[in-house]
Amino acid sequence: MENFEELRNDVVEHLIKNNITISCMESCTSGLVASFITDTAGASAIIFGSLVTYANATKIQVGVDAKIIEKFGVYSKETACEMARVAQKIYNTDLAVGVTGTTGNLDPNNLDSISGEVHYAIFYKSNLQAFTFKADVIKLTRREIKILYAQEIFKSLHALLNL
């Protein structure tokens, strides 16, 4: 795939064409994955909702098990999986994405943060896959880091959907 716009469009058009519904629970990407989905005309037919749960308390409030955050940390594959499961449950979608990580700086509220590391999970067809992506983000802005992470998620969606 030559460029991100083409890859993103392929993913969303496939979802629309095949009536595959999607939802998201995003932390460090702050809704950017959902925003990229809605950049394609007709996306309203397949995106049922998205939650931006930046704070731990908000994740817990919407249904993420506090024990998972406590045991594995908020920046973990386990928390990303729980976020995807909760988004899928809330919106009753075929596919759900959960994403948590840091955007470059160390988080004083979560001492387990690692600069430039994102964990995300994709729930699809009763299968839950977790991913970790690490990047050198020292010279990137927070926005550039969020875009980088969202692009990685779309690459994984592209592969998962066999496009």
Side-chain angles (χ1 to χ4, degrees), residues 109-146:
N109 295 312
N110 295 289
L111 299 178
D112 61 339
S113 63
I114 298 172
S115 180
E117 184 174 286
V118 66
H119 302 279
Y120 61 97
I122 301 171
F123 176 93
Y124 182 53
K125 292 186 176 180
S126 301
N127 185 24
L128 188 59
Q129 292 187 22
F131 305 85
T132 296
F133 175 72
K134 298 178 184 181
D136 180 3
V137 297
I138 298 298
K139 296 181 181 179
L140 300 179
T141 66
R142 290 174 71 90
R143 174 123 178 105
E144 290 168 334
I145 296 166
K146 291 191 298 186

Side-chain angles (χ1 to χ4, degrees), residues 15 18-23 46 48 88 91-96 123-127:
L15 297 176
N18 294 283
N19 197 31
I20 299 169
T21 58
I22 188 169
S23 58
I46 52 100
F48 280 20
Q88 190 282 328
Y91 294 110
N92 193 29
T93 54
D94 303 311
L95 193 154
F123 176 93
Y124 182 53
K125 292 186 176 180
S126 301
N127 185 24

Side-chain angles (χ1 to χ4, degrees), residues 13-63:
E13 285 185 358
H14 177 82
L15 297 176
I16 293 168
K17 179 181 175 187
N18 294 283
N19 197 31
I20 299 169
T21 58
I22 188 169
S23 58
C24 303
M25 184 183 298
E26 301 181 60
S27 184
C28 61
T29 50
S30 304
L32 193 55
V33 173
S35 179
F36 280 147
I37 292 167
T38 62
D39 285 347
T40 300
S44 61
I46 52 100
I47 187 160
F48 280 20
S50 181
L51 299 159
V52 175
T53 56
Y54 214 70
N56 294 1
T58 308
K59 289 174 187 65
I60 295 164
Q61 182 181 13
V62 298

